[in-house]
Amino acid sequence: MYNYSFTKASQLAVLANKHQVSMGEITIRQAMGEQNLSRDKVIYGMNKRLGIIRESIQKGFKISSRSKSGLSGGDAQKMAVYQDEQGLLSPVQIKAASYALSIMETNALFGRIVALPTAGSAGVVPAVLLAVAEQLKSTDEQI
């Protein structure tokens, strides 16, 4: 079996080009090889994580109280209704920011941690991914 390992986006792009498949397909193949899982199990795990991300976003939008530290709570709701009068942010950027805040607020109140690629990103990557996917009307399989 071919080694589909990569550590940088540029390496991922090279592998996808070399094998004439999408970057998503390379990622699936990498997971299959590294975790010794079937394709179905990898896809199942990806769909499960996507559901957790969506759940975290929805829970975050329901938070109106502040966290114990007082640093977060209710900001996702504010960002979701924000109107950019200066025209600096597009609707999809505002949605991505509100999703990221929602995930962070869920995490701050000890909800499920959305660590993609790490917990340090605090939900920004999945938030942008979902906001753009919704804008493009992408299916879960495309995501």
Side-chain angles (χ1 to χ4, degrees):
M1 180 175 237
Y2 188 82
N3 180 0
Y4 292 98
S5 294
F6 61 90
T7 57
K8 300 177 187 173
S10 60
Q11 294 169 329
L12 173 59
V14 167
L15 283 169
N17 188 45
K18 177 179 179 179
H19 295 280
Q20 296 296 300
V21 296
S22 70
M23 289 189 277
E25 178 61 28
I26 295 295
T27 303
I28 291 168
R29 292 178 184 182
Q30 178 195 34
M32 289 170 60
E34 289 182 359
Q35 300 171 28
N36 197 29
L37 295 174
S38 69
R39 178 180 198 78
D40 287 344
K41 287 194 177 189
V42 170
I43 300 291
Y44 172 80
M46 294 171 93
N47 285 328
K48 187 174 178 180
R49 287 178 192 87
L50 186 57
I52 291 168
I53 292 166
R54 287 184 172 126
E55 179 184 301
S56 183
I57 289 169
Q58 292 308 311
K59 283 184 177 180
F61 280 127
K62 294 176 184 172
I63 295 170
S64 57
S65 61
R66 304 300 286 174
S67 64
K68 288 189 184 217
S69 68
L71 296 176
S72 68
D75 294 321
Q77 294 170 357
K78 292 175 189 172
M79 180 55 81
V81 297
Y82 174 74
Q83 299 295 318
D84 184 13
E85 295 172 7
Q86 301 298 318
L88 299 175
L89 298 174
S90 71
V92 74
Q93 289 170 313
I94 293 170
K95 181 183 275 189
S98 69
Y99 282 6
L101 286 166
S102 187
I103 292 170
M104 287 186 256
E105 290 177 352
T106 300
N107 292 348
L109 291 175
F110 302 103
R112 293 183 96 168
I113 303 298
V114 178
L116 176 72
T118 67
S121 70
V124 172
V125 172
V128 171
L129 176 70
L130 280 186
V132 170
E134 288 173 9
Q135 179 70 21
L136 298 175
K137 296 179 180 27
S138 300
T139 64
D140 285 0
E141 185 176 305
Q142 290 170 320
I143 296 171

